[in-house]
Structures are given as C-alpha cells and as structure tokens.
Amino acid sequence: MNTQAFLRKLKENIDIELKEDIRIFQQKIEALSLSEKRQKGYCWHPVQVVKTGFTYGDRAFIVIERQDNDDHEFRSGNLVKLYSQKDPLNDFVQGTINYLKASQMKIVLHADFLPLWLDNEKLTLDLLFDERTYKEMERALHLVSKASNNRLADLRDVLMGEIPPSFEKVPNVSIPALNASQNQAVNTILSAEDVALVHGPPGTGKTTTLVEAIKIISKEQGPVLVCAPSNAAVDLLTNRLASAGLNVVRTGNISRVDDLVLETTLDVRLSKHPEFKEIKKLKIKAAQKRRDAERYKRHFDHAASTARKEAYREARELTAWSHQLEDRLIDQILSSAEVISCTLTGSSNSLLRDFHFHTLFIDEAAQALEPATWIPILKASKVVLAGDPFQLPPTVKSTKAQKYGLAVTMMERLLPVLSRINLLKVQYRMNTAIMGFSNGQFYDNQLIADISVEQHQLPLPPHKSVEFIDTAGTGFEETTDESGITKANKDEIRLIFEHFHQLVKALPEGEQPSVALIAPYRAQVRAMELEFSSESEWQDYPVSINTIDSFQGQERDVVYISLVRSNDSGQIGFLKDYRRMNVAMTRARKLLVVVGDSATVGQDAFYGDFLDYVEQYGVYRTAWEFFS
C-alpha cells in the first residue's frame, strides 16, 4: 500500500472509530432518562455547589457534592455539563473534571465567570462526548497527505518507509549514570536526522534515558517538544525533567494535570510572573465596567443609555489590553523554555501555533493511535519514538477499525523495518525469577536483571518470588455485573486477603513492603476496594488497588494479580491480550502472586506456559491450602 492509500485508510479508520464511539456513548447515555442515567452512573443528580473560585489563569471552578456514594463512570479529565432542571436549555455550563472523591467533584469551567443560577436546588451533572481529538487527528492526516517540498513531506516519506532514515556522525557520548544500551540509545538519538526508536521494556530506565537525551538536545539545539498519549504519561516525564533541573513548561488544561507538576504549568508560571499583577488589575477593572453597564435595565433614559455604552466600550478596551499583555507574557514564557510538554492532542493548542521544534520526543508511543502521533509531528523536524509494543496497546472501540489496522501504532509498524533499533537491555525493577517469564515470552531472553535487583527478596525464610494460587475445583466462579460487561470474583479476593494475612505474620516486625492489588476488570477492583476498606490489618501498609491498565508505569514490592475468570467453557475474555498480562506481571519488585483458575486459563497456550514456568521457577499452590 502506497503512502497516500495508507493515509486514506487511516482517515477511514478514524471515521469508523468516531462513529462507533458516538454510538456507544449514545447507547449508554443519551437515550436514557434522568433516573436511568443516575442509576447507571452517567449522571449525578441532585448536586449542590459547595465551593466556587478561580484557578490559575482565571478559570472559574466549582466543587459539587451529591448525597450518595453510588458507583459512577466519571473520571478525571472527562468533559461534563452542569445544568439547572428549572431551565436546562439556558442555564448550563460545560467544564472538565479536575478531581473526584466518593461524593464530591471539582470542575474547571470552560468560562471565566460563575453562572448566576449555581445556587439553584435542582442541579444535574451529565457526562459529555468529546470529539475534539478526532477532529485534530483528521486535520493532521490531511496536512500530512498534502505536504510537498517541505520538512513534513520529508518526515512523512521516512516514516512511511519510502526513503531510509539518515544519521550523522556525532561524538560518542558516554554518560556515567547510564548503562551501555542506554548510552547507545542516547547516541542514536543524537545522530538521527529523521527518526530514532527507543524500545524500553519494563524497568529498563526508558525515562532516565530520555531525560539525558533531552538535556543534551535542549542545550545544543533549543527547545524540545515532549508528548505522550495520556496526561499521566506526560506528567511523569515532566516531573522527571523538572527534577533534572530543566526549564519545563507543561501546557494543556490545568484540570487534567497532576498536582506534582502543577508548578511547571503555563497557568501557574503565568500567575506567578511579576507582570501578571497588572493583567489581573485590568481584568478586574473590565469586570467592574461590565457590572456597571449591566446595572442599567430596560426603560433607561438617554443619559443612562450613553453611560451604558461607554461602560461596555471601556470594558472591551480593558479586556483587549489585558489579553494583549497576557499573550505577550505567554509567548515570553514559552520561548524561554527548554522543554514544552503536552499530550499528543495538546500539541495542537493555539498557544503553540507559531512554534516549530527541532526535536520531538513521543513517550509511550506504542500506546498512541498513529493518526494522533502525526499531530505533534506537524511541528517537528526530527522524531524520537519511545515505548514498548509488548505492553498496553492503544484503545480501539470499533472491531471493524481494529480489523483494518487502527490498533497498529507507528512505533509497532516501524520496529521491524528500521535498521537502528535501541533495545534497553538492563532492568532495575524485578529480581530474575519475576523477570524471567516475560523475558522469554516477549523479549527473546535479551533482558538482564541488574546486580542491584537480581536476587532481592522480602526478608523471609528461603522462598520463591513467583507464586500461582490455583482455584480450580473450589467453586470460585466469576460473576458478571448488571452491565453484562465487567466481571468479578469475590472468592479470589478472600484468598488474596488470607495470603496477605499469612505473609504479614511471617514478616519481621516493622517490615512493611508496598503492596498492589490489580485485576483486569473494574468490577473486581471495586470489590477489592470495598473489602479493603473494612480490613483493619491492611491499614498499616501502603496499598494500591487498581486495574492493570491504570497501573502501567508503576511498581510495588508485592503485587497480587486476580485473574477473575473462572467458568466451565474456558472463556478468558480480554485476558487474551497478553500484552496486558505482561504489564501486570512486571509490576512486582520482590514478590508476584497470581490467583486464578488453571482449568479456565490453562487451556490457553500463554497461560499454560506461565503455569509451567511457575512449576519450574516458582511455587504452585492450591486455594485449599488457605482454607483447610
């Protein structure tokens, strides 16, 4: 398939995916009544505004509260609509969720004012569909396909395999803090003129490697653009870059930014700049003039009419002046940055319209849809793709689009064809036994556990670091929630808690390893959270409970994986995505405990191999040992 045909196919896939996304959204939410939306967790009603204010950058925010703690589908970063039941057509405002608690939510409004109807008693919050990302992907594909006789056209031809990438000779850089494969990756990045790939399996120091390369390039070639497909991934790299002493400016919606990197955001930088006080004064004066004008109601005389027009004119002039000063200040902050970081879609922000970057780094590139990857490439002369195609893939909702190749990322497509691929080979997280299974299944046994971790274990009598606890024959069967999609297995939770109880008893006094409980299904995670909240024994331990997808990039001393699936037909659902299990099995530093039904999962070749691995290098136990 030639380049233009490939780009057309990508565009068709995006259209298919958009239609499917809208269909799912409408099916789930828009066709439901208020009571049904509330019951299914797509709506909060009634809600009460308990706090209001303005964020950095003068964006209005509200904190709302509901009376119940029922399950819901809202997540940080979601687009939402708050409206009054008294007049829903007129009294409404949109915003983005900043943070969530059980019964409370902070929303940054898409406005610089607070609506007057917020004190109404009957307020409702709905989840909205957001298609901005799709529009940006379509725009990027259009520009890439039309590019001619420019740098974008050159990059397109290299990234599509029509011409080979070029490399120049550069001095051999050797950074003492890096190992041989990491230094090789840095040198490839520095010498690449078009594209460089860094393949970073779990625990191999991919972020450390990228930070060192970015430090060098930002000093030698000016500002670097750093992107990733998710806000969490952007924030992680932003934090590391800022900790390394680089001047990083994090752009994007402040409501989606982690508190750890708040100080790097453009909004905070702007608010703390000495000149911002003058801008603030102008905005306050403009607001006062608008209030003065709005005091005049109907039936006012000529003098009042003149005063009203004058007040509005002054408000417009003050607002325009404040915006002019603010734009100049923003440009100054961005131009002086060594690194600008944002999501892939965030790179299309109008603030970056006139910026072009010598080098673009895309982290977690193996999780990004290819059309989204092209969005920041529009602004760069050179691209560095970093990630691991054997971890979580991008989310594709349409089976048709997936069949047509939308789930294949740019990094995955380029990995087999580029001549210079930098595999980071030394991992610093897991001991050899925990690393071994994934190493053989995904990385051709090329990974080596660093000497600092290869034998590290919990302070226990001699034991194996990998355990499988088999529930076959116990009747610990899966259940399905009301949606018919997500699944749980509460007996597996009881088993995990009993195992942990025995582990705590065996540990030396005062020893408190960090612990994670992860599962592939959200219903199981919710059940674990509920059970955990009532178990006093766990309260002294740093415990994380989450889905596998949400736990990527993290690690703990002890990791429990609940496989959940247990049925007579051997159905394992999306446990079939072995990359997801690669993520799960490589989160543990010192002890990995997998709980599952061998009769269900063992029929699959991958899990059959895992059971064989456990019998050879770990310990294979049955659930009966814990309840006899």
Side-chain angles (χ1 to χ4, degrees), residues 78-133:
N78 282 161
L79 186 67
V80 292
K81 175 183 176 182
L82 182 74
Y83 57 96
S84 166
Q85 289 290 336
K86 291 181 180 179
D87 190 2
L89 294 178
N90 294 307
D91 292 347
F92 71 90
V93 66
Q94 293 184 7
T96 302
I97 299 174
N98 178 251
Y99 74 73
L100 277 166
K101 295 181 181 177
S103 60
Q104 207 173 75
M105 182 190 300
K106 180 179 178 181
I107 304 166
V108 178
L109 304 182
H110 297 170
D112 57 2
F113 62 92
L114 292 163
L116 297 175
W117 48 265
L118 287 178
D119 58 351
N120 288 354
E121 293 181 1
K122 294 184 178 181
L123 295 180
T124 303
L125 186 80
D126 279 355
L127 196 59
L128 290 181
F129 183 80
D130 188 354
E131 61 179 71
R132 287 173 294 182
T133 298

Side-chain angles (χ1 to χ4, degrees), residues 78-239:
N78 282 161
L79 186 67
V80 292
K81 175 183 176 182
L82 182 74
Y83 57 96
S84 166
Q85 289 290 336
K86 291 181 180 179
D87 190 2
L89 294 178
N90 294 307
D91 292 347
F92 71 90
V93 66
Q94 293 184 7
T96 302
I97 299 174
N98 178 251
Y99 74 73
L100 277 166
K101 295 181 181 177
S103 60
Q104 207 173 75
M105 182 190 300
K106 180 179 178 181
I107 304 166
V108 178
L109 304 182
H110 297 170
D112 57 2
F113 62 92
L114 292 163
L116 297 175
W117 48 265
L118 287 178
D119 58 351
N120 288 354
E121 293 181 1
K122 294 184 178 181
L123 295 180
T124 303
L125 186 80
D126 279 355
L127 196 59
L128 290 181
F129 183 80
D130 188 354
E131 61 179 71
R132 287 173 294 182
T133 298
Y134 288 99
K135 290 180 178 178
E136 290 300 334
M137 287 192 287
E138 290 182 1
R139 174 179 170 274
L141 291 176
H142 174 75
L143 293 174
V144 170
S145 66
K146 298 298 182 185
S148 178
N149 298 318
N150 57 18
R151 185 54 185 156
L152 178 59
D154 296 339
L155 270 181
R156 177 195 62 204
D157 294 343
V158 171
L159 294 171
M160 294 306 303
E162 293 191 4
I163 58 175
S166 300
F167 295 86
E168 61 178 347
K169 288 186 178 181
V170 296
N172 186 35
V173 173
S174 181
I175 301 169
L178 302 185
N179 63 47
S181 62
Q182 291 172 328
N183 270 307
Q184 182 181 358
V186 170
N187 279 283
T188 300
I189 291 170
L190 297 178
S191 63
E193 296 187 330
D194 310 294
V195 60
L197 260 65
V198 178
H199 183 184
T204 54
K206 169 176 62 68
T207 303
T208 300
T209 305
L210 295 182
V211 168
E212 293 299 330
I214 291 168
K215 283 166 65 176
I216 295 171
I217 291 177
S218 65
K219 294 288 191 297
E220 295 181 352
Q221 298 169 343
V224 171
L225 179 61
V226 171
C227 296
S230 70
N231 281 290
V234 176
D235 290 343
L236 176 65
L237 190 48
T238 299
N239 189 38

Side-chain angles (χ1 to χ4, degrees), residues 124 205 261 321 388:
T124 303
V261 297
W321 188 11
D388 181 9

